[in-house]
Amino acid sequence: MNFSRMFHNLNYVVSVLLFLIGLYAVTVKPNLIKKLIGLNIMETSVFLFIVSIGMVESGQAPIVTEGVKTSQMVNPIPQALILTGIVVAVSTTAVALSLCLRLHERYGTLNSDEILASITDVSQLGRPWEEF
Amino acid sequence: MNWTVNLLLMLFLLATAVVAITLKDLLAAVVVFSAYSLMMAMLWTQLRAPDLALTEAAVGAGVTTVLFIIVVYRTVRREDR
């Protein structure tokens, strides 16, 4: 039996499993840091899926060198897209973490359930943008 | 395709992802998430994407972990508090 056929679609299966793990963390965990870790796991699972689409069986890295034909290379376009995506993921994480710091300054907790429970009336929130 | 290395990397990736979201200590969870990012960088080299591997190892495992550690240090360390 040829075992390598069994793992032909392993990348797609693992990326879907990682997406589900991240989705569980984002929806179920009350802690905001845990939600952000889950969001990062979801992002990397999508990156894994898109790069796996451009994968060629026994392909070479898309770098022009002697003796490597372009027909033997993997598709470089998904890789170039995902290179941008990794940097954008880090910047969104930085913005979300700064918002977490602000929420902790204001409410004294990072538990999203407690933060929602402490907001009883939305009209009492005032104008938070004028506080700073 | 070297599928045994790929399979081991995938198993470790799933294990670190599950452990990172189940740990109650947020600092430990962030450290395990950094290990997850390093596994992802090794998987990029298996997928013939060395530029993604470099970026993931520097930015994903480096900068993201530092940002998370700063926020955990300035707020709370336990998840249930």
Side-chain angles (χ1 to χ4, degrees):
Chain A
M1 185 175 176
N2 191 359
F3 278 101
S4 63
R5 299 288 297 173
M6 199 189 290
F7 301 104
H8 206 72
N9 295 321
L10 185 68
N11 285 355
Y12 302 115
V13 175
V14 170
S15 73
V16 169
L17 287 176
L18 285 175
F19 192 89
L20 291 177
I21 291 170
L23 192 65
Y24 170 79
V26 169
T27 51
V28 175
K29 294 283 177 181
N31 190 280
L32 290 175
I33 306 280
K34 274 291 168 67
K35 280 180 196 283
L36 281 180
I37 291 177
L39 192 70
N40 271 293
I41 291 174
M42 280 167 79
E43 280 165 349
T44 46
S45 78
V46 174
F47 297 160
L48 177 61
F49 183 81
I50 296 176
V51 172
S52 298
I53 292 173
M55 184 62 188
V56 176
E57 197 75 15
S58 69
Q60 299 285 325
I63 302 168
V64 177
T65 41
E66 285 286 326
V68 178
K69 285 182 284 188
T70 52
S71 58
Q72 297 171 335
M73 293 175 180
V74 301
N75 194 354
I77 292 174
Q79 298 184 5
L81 285 173
I82 296 311
L83 191 62
T84 315
I86 289 175
V87 180
V88 172
V90 172
S91 50
T92 53
T93 307
V95 172
L97 284 172
S98 67
L99 290 175
C100 281
L101 277 180
R102 278 291 188 202
L103 281 169
H104 187 262
E105 276 179 14
R106 188 175 173 126
Y107 295 102
T109 178
L110 278 181
N111 193 318
S112 59
D113 293 338
E114 291 177 16
I115 291 173
L116 277 178
S118 65
I119 303 173
T120 51
D121 191 0
V122 184
S123 62
Q124 298 297 317
L125 278 178
R127 295 182 171 180
W129 57 88
E130 288 177 355
E131 289 180 10
F132 308 122
Chain B
M1 188 171 174
N2 198 354
W3 60 270
T4 47
V5 178
N6 223 345
L7 180 68
L8 283 175
L9 280 175
M10 297 281 185
L11 288 178
F12 206 85
L13 205 60
L14 286 172
T16 45
V18 170
V19 169
I21 68 165
T22 39
L23 277 175
K24 293 290 179 192
D25 191 351
L26 286 177
L27 191 62
V30 169
V31 170
V32 173
F33 179 69
S34 146
Y36 169 88
S37 284
L38 284 177
M39 282 303 117
M40 197 51 115
M42 289 170 70
L43 191 61
W44 291 137
T45 61
Q46 284 293 309
L47 288 171
R48 313 293 191 276
D51 47 347
L52 288 189
L54 282 171
T55 314
E56 179 82 30
V59 168
V63 178
T64 310
T65 309
V66 170
L67 290 173
F68 269 113
I69 286 175
I70 289 171
V71 172
V72 169
Y73 180 73
R74 288 180 60 172
T75 58
V76 285
R77 187 170 164 177
R78 295 289 302 176
E79 186 188 357
D80 44 8
R81 207 177 296 163

